[in-house]
Amino acid sequence: MSPTRRSTRRSLARRRVPRAAALALLLASATACANDVPEANLERGLLPGHITTQAGVVQSLWNGAWIAALATGFVVIALIVWACIFHTKRKAKAELPPQVRYNLPIEMLYTLVPLVMVSVFFFFTARDSEVLTAESKNPDVTVKVEAFQWSWRFTTTVQGKQTTPVTGLPVSDYHQGPQLVLPVKKKVRFELNSDDVIHSFWVPEMLFKRDIIPGIPKDSPGRFFEVDTLDRPGVYAGRCAELCGVDHSRMLFSVKLVPQDEFDRYLASNQAGSAQ
């Protein structure tokens, strides 16, 4: 290859590198532009602040799992480092270190310790799952959530009276999507429904999401879940957490928690009639 050609190729390569770097920086910054990402806190294990009693249960389980995982990892790393240092000192010796095969006490330890750890995790997970899936006979508010490509329809029922359904369109900002208004310090039941593909109802501050699967019978527990809202008024982002098609990323909505008197005014201005 001639020197002129080599020089030309080097020049082109140098031009491509800044362009590639600029493109990578643009993509990285674009992913951080979403305005529906809740603020995470290290004290909460990088989870957002929660707005329901059930989310507090999830937070406790999450923290406990991380503490156990970090403690186990610390012990494992300490043993690895100890073994490396111990055997480095003995590298001049050719014989094998003492073997532990068929050492019944040690093999029982290897079996029982992981079994106890898994059992503890299973116990707390099963206990908290019961809390998260529990349903009451008379919730204060019932919300029918209808997911479709690519937005949401919310119909709220309170004491047998329905509000006018709130139907949305695909949007790029959750503030522009359909808004679900809920009262603080109340028990809310969600009834999930989809007639096209699988969606997933997710409000990050609830620390909980539930898939909405077409064809589930109306009386199936998989269609319902309940939360107890906390006294934390505000507007919170929501989205579909299951890839459901071309406009999945624009399937956004918001949840607005309001005091009871404001919720009563909302009901009075949006009441549609008796629930069927």
Side-chain angles (χ1 to χ4, degrees):
M1 183 181 294
S2 66
T4 305
R5 250 187 209 179
R6 289 198 193 96
S7 177
T8 303
R9 288 196 173 184
R10 288 196 194 100
S11 177
L12 290 173
R14 280 195 296 269
R15 290 179 186 176
R16 289 194 192 103
V17 170
R19 288 179 182 176
L23 180 59
L25 180 61
L26 176 62
L27 291 174
S29 60
T31 57
C33 289
N35 61 357
D36 61 343
V37 179
E39 182 181 354
N41 189 299
L42 187 60
E43 294 180 358
R44 297 190 295 263
L46 298 180
L47 292 181
H50 54 271
I51 58 174
T52 67
T53 301
Q54 288 76 8
V57 175
V58 175
Q59 180 74 72
S60 297
L61 182 63
W62 174 263
N63 291 345
W66 268 109
I67 291 171
L70 290 173
T72 303
F74 176 79
V75 171
V76 171
I77 292 173
L79 290 174
I80 291 173
V81 172
W82 174 83
C84 292
I85 296 174
F86 178 78
H87 288 292
T88 299
K89 292 179 179 178
R90 297 181 160 215
K91 62 182 178 181
K93 297 185 178 181
E95 67 270 13
L96 290 172
Q99 302 298 296
V100 296
R101 286 185 305 171
Y102 310 115
N103 186 321
L104 189 59
I106 292 181
E107 291 192 354
M108 289 182 64
L109 181 67
Y110 289 164
T111 303
L112 292 177
V113 170
L115 184 61
V116 170
M117 293 173 62
V118 171
S119 299
V120 171
F121 274 120
F122 177 80
F123 169 78
F124 284 106
T125 302
R127 183 199 65 180
D128 292 346
S129 295
E130 288 291 326
V131 176
L132 296 176
T133 57
E135 294 182 22
S136 62
K137 293 183 178 180
N138 297 302
D140 301 303
V141 180
T142 301
V143 179
K144 184 178 181 181
V145 178
E146 298 173 89
F148 55 90
Q149 293 176 310
W150 289 273
S151 194
W152 307 84
R153 182 181 297 107
F154 302 121
T155 306
T156 304
T157 302
V158 181
Q159 296 179 353
K161 298 290 185 178
Q162 282 186 350
T163 62
T164 302
V166 178
T167 306
L169 296 171
V171 294
S172 299
D173 186 334
Y174 75 93
H175 291 99
Q176 300 171 355
Q179 186 172 81
L180 173 60
V181 180
L182 297 175
V184 299
K185 302 174 69 173
K186 295 293 182 181
K187 186 175 290 295
V188 182
R189 174 182 293 173
F190 293 91
E191 178 186 348
L192 309 177
N193 182 67
S194 172
D195 288 330
D196 43 39
V197 298
I198 298 176
H199 300 279
S200 188
F201 182 82
W202 182 38
V203 180
E205 281 83 358
M206 288 185 181
L207 307 188
F208 180 89
K209 66 183 181 71
R210 174 64 68 84
D211 286 351
I212 310 175
I213 303 174
I216 294 182
K218 291 186 177 181
D219 57 348
S220 171
R223 288 177 57 120
F224 302 91
F225 75 94
E226 290 186 6
V227 298
D228 295 286
T229 57
L230 299 177
D231 191 7
R232 294 180 181 171
V235 178
Y236 302 93
R239 60 167 54 246
C240 176
E242 184 76 26
L243 182 59
C244 57
V246 65
D247 266 340
H248 160 71
S249 62
R250 302 178 65 209
M251 195 169 168
L252 308 177
F253 66 95
S254 64
V255 173
K256 184 177 183 181
L257 287 184
V258 298
Q260 185 62 48
D261 57 347
E262 185 176 343
F263 184 69
D264 292 338
R265 292 195 296 271
Y266 169 79
L267 290 179
S269 61
N270 292 276
Q271 190 166 293
S274 301
Q276 298 298 319

